[in-house]
Structure formats: structure tokens, C-alpha cells
Amino acid sequence: MRKTIIAGNWKMYKNISEAIELSNGLKRELFKLDFESTEVVLCPPFTALAEVAEVLSESDIGLGGQDMYWAEEGAFTGEISANMLKDAGCQYVIIGHSERRQFFAESNETVNKKIKAAIKCELTPIVCVGENLQEREQNKTFNVIEDHIKQALVDIDAQQMQKIVVAYEPVWAIGTGKTATPEQAQEVHKYIRDLLKKMYGEDVAQGVRIQYGGSVKPENILELMAKPDVDGALVGGASLKIDAFAAIVIKSSEVRK
Ligand code: PGA
């Protein structure tokens, strides 16, 4: 059985004091959660990582960065390495988010380099893939997903694959209030799992967690989680509010598959 994983991507929101307040509130609300069956990850902006790590130090809630650079160190103004994320208290890192692809020239090739550097540093990469509206309307969804997955995973072996979390995030559903229907999500999640099966075999494919992301809210999490290949969620907007994110986590933890 795959362990549910719910991650909150705070994007460019929350200053340090707001981040402390939000993480403290979540720690309190999720105090009784069964962390054996549900993994929870918060991904604040870089500036708040160390403080949120401090808040989470005596809890089972994990911490992640929203991006990283692949080099170990060097003259790369403005960038953050995997080691720096570890040093700030992270165990996870989001890689290849569609906003990085859209606004900051992230490519499948850079995603691949970042995944390798993250694994080398023992960070769990949450690798985002997904089609935009035009691609969906032109029936290219599976082609885009195949491209994102295959190119992101160049030279990643089966053992490394077991450490990776995949997030399917249809770009047209991010921040738009338009969620993919549970059927649309399941269709692509299954496609991803079948692809991983061809690349890495049945055992690895069955073990990889695939999150859904795009306008996830307390109102739609249950129907999404009910689908067999949806193993969790990557939550943007709703992760900025204590009540909404705690409700998403608690509802997900109650889904038994
Ligand atoms: P959203 O964002 O939940 O606000 O749609 C999801 C994401 O970008 O990870």
C-alpha cells in the first residue's frame, strides 16, 4: 500500500512571522494525525524555511523547498543548492513546478539535473508534470506527460525512482478554481503509472506515489483521493489557510484504499 502524501506549496506567500503562525496552527490541528499512514509536507518560501523547521522540529510534519539549483555550490547568484535546503531543515523539494516552467525557463533537462542533485543529497523530489489548456484541447495530454516523465527521468535508475514523488498538475487547473474531475485525474495518474511500469517494472511503478495538484480544496479532496491511482495532493491556495489545509489532510487520512 502506498502512503498518502499531502504537500502544501505556499509559493511566494507568507513572511516569516506569518509562516510561523501557519505552521504552528497546522502542528496544533494535526496533532492527532496518524502519520504512519499519511505524510504531510510544508513548502514555505526560502526565507521562512529555517523558522518553520524550528516550529516543526518536534512534529512529524515534513519540510520542503519549492525549487533548487543542481550545482553543489558556486557563483550562481540567487540560487539555492540541495545542501542548503538540507541545512535549513528540508527533507523534500518541489522540482519542475509549472510556474517554474512557465515563468523561469525550467526545462525537462534542468528538471532532470535537479532531480539527480536532490537524490544525491537525500532530499525527496516532488516532480511536477502536467499539460496546459491548449495541449489538453488538442488531445496532447498524454504526449506531454510522456515527454515530461521520460525526460525528467533520464538516467534515473529503479532504486532512485523509488525515492521520487510525482505530482500531476494540469496547468489549466492551477489557481483557477477549475479542478480536473476525479475521472480526468485518474486517467492521467494511471497513464503515468503504466509508463513507469514500462520503464521500471511493476514493483517500482506500484510503489511510486502520484499526487494530484490543481485547485484542491476540502470540498473536492475526498472524491479525488477515492481514485485508485491518486495517492495524495500538492496544494497551493488552500495550503495558506490553517483550517482548509488541515481539513484536506484529515480527510485524506480517512480514505482507505
Ligand atoms: P492551487 O496550486 O492549489 O492553488 O491550484 C497548486 C500548485 O500549484 O501546486
Side-chain angles (χ1 to χ4, degrees):
M1 229 183 62
R2 295 180 292 271
K3 185 172 178 178
T4 297
I5 175 163
I6 308 291
N9 172 12
W10 296 3
K11 308 193 180 182
M12 201 173 73
Y13 292 101
K14 305 292 176 191
N15 61 28
I16 294 173
S17 66
E18 292 165 339
I20 292 173
E21 194 183 323
L22 177 54
S23 46
N24 254 320
L26 289 169
K27 195 167 118 174
R28 198 174 52 237
E29 292 297 316
L30 300 176
F31 183 65
K32 288 195 190 139
L33 190 80
D34 172 16
F35 286 97
E36 290 296 313
S37 68
T38 308
E39 217 165 305
V40 182
V41 185
L42 308 185
C43 304
F46 292 141
T47 47
L49 282 173
E51 282 80 3
V52 173
E54 179 75 31
V55 171
L56 301 180
S57 62
E58 273 165 32
S59 87
D60 292 309
I61 300 176
L63 186 70
Q66 297 176 14
D67 186 30
M68 53 166 270
Y69 192 63
W70 58 81
E72 280 175 24
E73 60 179 7
F76 301 107
T77 302
E79 294 297 320
I80 300 278
S81 71
N83 254 325
M84 289 170 179
L85 289 180
K86 287 251 347 183
D87 187 42
C90 293
Q91 306 87 29
Y92 303 80
V93 58
I94 298 173
I95 294 178
H97 189 279
S98 65
E99 286 148 18
R100 301 294 322 166
R101 295 179 191 257
Q102 197 178 345
F103 305 125
F104 304 100
E106 184 89 87
S107 66
N108 288 324
E109 198 187 344
T110 58
V111 167
N112 178 251
K113 288 183 176 176
K114 290 179 182 185
I115 295 174
K116 287 177 187 156
I119 292 177
K120 199 168 164 203
C121 260
E122 294 180 339
L123 284 173
T124 298
I126 298 178
V127 179
C128 303
V129 300
E131 81 288 0
N132 63 32
L133 185 59
Q134 197 188 12
E135 290 159 344
R136 176 156 284 261
E137 284 172 346
Q138 292 174 350
N139 285 324
K140 288 186 186 152
T141 298
F142 292 148
N143 305 53
V144 173
I145 299 293
E146 180 174 354
D147 246 35
H148 281 181
I149 293 278
K150 283 197 172 156
Q151 293 185 42
L153 300 176
V154 168
D155 293 333
I156 300 284
D157 64 26
Q159 208 191 345
Q160 293 168 320
M161 188 62 221
Q162 286 166 325
K163 298 181 182 135
I164 295 174
V165 174
V166 176
Y168 168 55
E169 298 207 306
V171 179
W172 49 272
I174 295 179
T176 57
K178 274 192 215 160
T179 325
T181 64
E183 291 69 32
Q184 284 172 321
Q186 169 59 25
E187 187 185 32
V188 179
H189 282 228
K190 180 165 186 321
Y191 178 83
I192 294 172
R193 203 174 304 287
D194 288 345
L195 190 58
L196 293 175
K197 185 172 154 185
K198 280 190 215 143
M199 296 166 72
Y200 295 103
E202 177 76 16
D203 283 359
V204 173
Q206 285 305 329
V208 172
R209 274 105 42 95
I210 308 174
Q211 298 176 305
Y212 169 78
S215 299
V216 171
K217 322 180 248 286
E219 296 76 29
N220 59 25
I221 186 67
L222 279 179
E223 56 184 27
L224 288 160
M225 283 298 299
K227 293 296 177 191
D229 289 295
V230 177
D231 307 312
L234 181 55
V235 186
S239 74
L240 299 172
K241 298 206 178 78
I242 298 171
D243 290 358
F245 191 65
I248 289 169
V249 171
I250 291 166
K251 286 184 180 200
S252 312
S253 74
E254 286 163 359
V255 177
R256 289 280 167 270
K257 292 189 182 167

